[in-house]
Amino acid sequence: MDKAARERYDLTEELMMENAASALERAVMRHIFDAPSKVNARTVAVLCGGGNNGADGYALARRLAGQMLADSARLVPVVIAVAAPKSDLCRRQAARAKNCGVQCLNFDSAANADTVLSGAEIIVDCLFGSGFHGDLDEKTAALCAQANTARARRIACDVPTGLRENGTVAEGAFVADCTVTMGAFKLSLYGDAAKDFAGHIVCEDLGISRALFEAQPDDSYRAAATLLEAADIVLPHRPKNVVNKGTFGHVAVASGEKIGASCIAGAAALRFGAGLVSLVRHDQPFTKGDVPRVSPELMTASDIPANVTALAFGMGLGRSAEHTRPYFDWLRAHTSIPCVIDADAVYDETVVSFLRARASGIVLTPHPKELQVLLRNCGLGDHIVAECLDNRPTLIESFCRAFPGCVLLVKGANPMIGHYDGASFRLFVNPLGKNCLAKAGSGDVLAGLIAALLAQGYAPLDAAINGSLAHALASRQFKNDFSLTPLALIDAVAAL
């Protein structure tokens, strides 16, 4: 895309590099102004490789050299290089930096960099850019290790060093507080593994707007995914006044071995706009002692009610066929009713024949372990759980192409949602959730939110996207990262 932009808009690589360095400079200065200091010299350590990412670092150091701040302190950029400049631009930018008085050190020993890093206020990683694969060499890993333990704000240029192109992370990777990525967002920054390494992600222009940078004259480039933002959410607003509970749909939630899971999903569905919610259990009638304290809002039944408009099943249901088969059979007979298939239901091998019979109107919400089972049951490979986490975009696309019309939402730190309509595949990434969601019952809440939207007439893909966004945005209302509970999360949905 860099090359295409240069050719299309008559830009030079050097001009784009100056814009990258300017973007890094803004990131540095934002922190400088946010963190005032009484010292006379404020050191910025710039870690440089020998390629064009390193050239960005030398250009940044040159731009910082000699700057005086409002408090009369001066910025002192110091380059720490792990390799001699190799690319033409890197050699040129290194020479310019030295001409401006920038101190340039070679990282030939731990002691060489330790003094600079320990006294630095900001460390900028310009060692490797996007497209990295393989492992870090010993020298680079050692420099990153020192940087990671320094008491400084860490900024990465484009992608943190050690973050591979496929979204996995090499041992010894740089841990950034902020990543300034250039031109366009990179999918590798939004894999689950990257969430602890990329920090806050900012996309900066390279001399042209993102719209122009991403616009291509043909179909040789396409977006790998759509990054969801808070403004994308479409809540189930009720514009009319002359309505009744039946206007907003009836969700049936299958209840089984762990009744609490169905109660949580049902409560979430009711809170997110469904007019009625029924817990359904075929094998035995409910008793007052069965259902936790959310039960006064929910109805119970031994069969799926006739007026149901969406079904959610699998949450705490039990993995035996006697628990799951009645719901698959019912959905085969009621092809117009959309459903959410979660948790225990994906373990049933019946899911394969069911999806082949009717993939439309279905949202599956597995976590990576359940995705492993689902892919194996569907004949799409026997993958280890780590693959299901690290290689989600490819595996999601494989599944969706095998079952056109089906929506697959794979949970994780950054949930990913895939859909193939028979003509094109689309992938959506939701980076907005907080780690407080790592609690038993959070997934049950998500299933209930999606079911509520299905019951109210949302298309399956829209239901998955907006349910995921509501789930994530509700989590952001909790100040502490440990205090969230499923019922508190449901309450937070009301504040959206």
Side-chain angles (χ1 to χ4, degrees), residues 263 266-268 270-271 275-278 291-300 487 490-491:
C263 290
L270 199 63
R271 182 56 67 96
L276 302 95
V277 177
S278 293
V291 186
R293 63 185 177 88
V294 293
S295 62
E297 301 175 332
L298 308 176
M299 299 183 292
T300 60
L487 297 184
I490 293 170
D491 288 340

Side-chain angles (χ1 to χ4, degrees), residues 32-33 35-40 42 68-74:
I32 289 291
F33 289 126
S37 174
K38 295 181 180 180
V39 298
N40 294 325
R42 304 176 74 173
M68 300 293 292
L69 304 174
D71 58 4
S72 298
R74 60 190 176 90

Side-chain angles (χ1 to χ4, degrees), residues 17 20-21 24 44-49 51-64 77-80 90 93-94 97 102 104 124-127 157 182:
M17 182 171 290
L24 290 172
V44 179
V46 185
L47 317 184
C48 290
N52 281 356
N53 200 252
D56 291 339
Y58 284 109
L60 167 66
R62 166 176 49 81
R63 296 177 70 95
L64 296 176
V78 179
V79 168
I80 301 174
C90 193
Q93 295 288 13
V102 174
C104 297
V124 185
D125 165 25
C126 296
L127 295 168
C157 174
M182 307 300 176

Side-chain angles (χ1 to χ4, degrees), residues 43 45 80 111 113-121 123 146-147 149-152:
T43 302
I80 301 174
D114 187 58
T115 302
V116 174
L117 294 176
S118 62
E121 188 166 327
I123 300 172
Q146 285 195 26
T149 57
R151 298 180 63 182

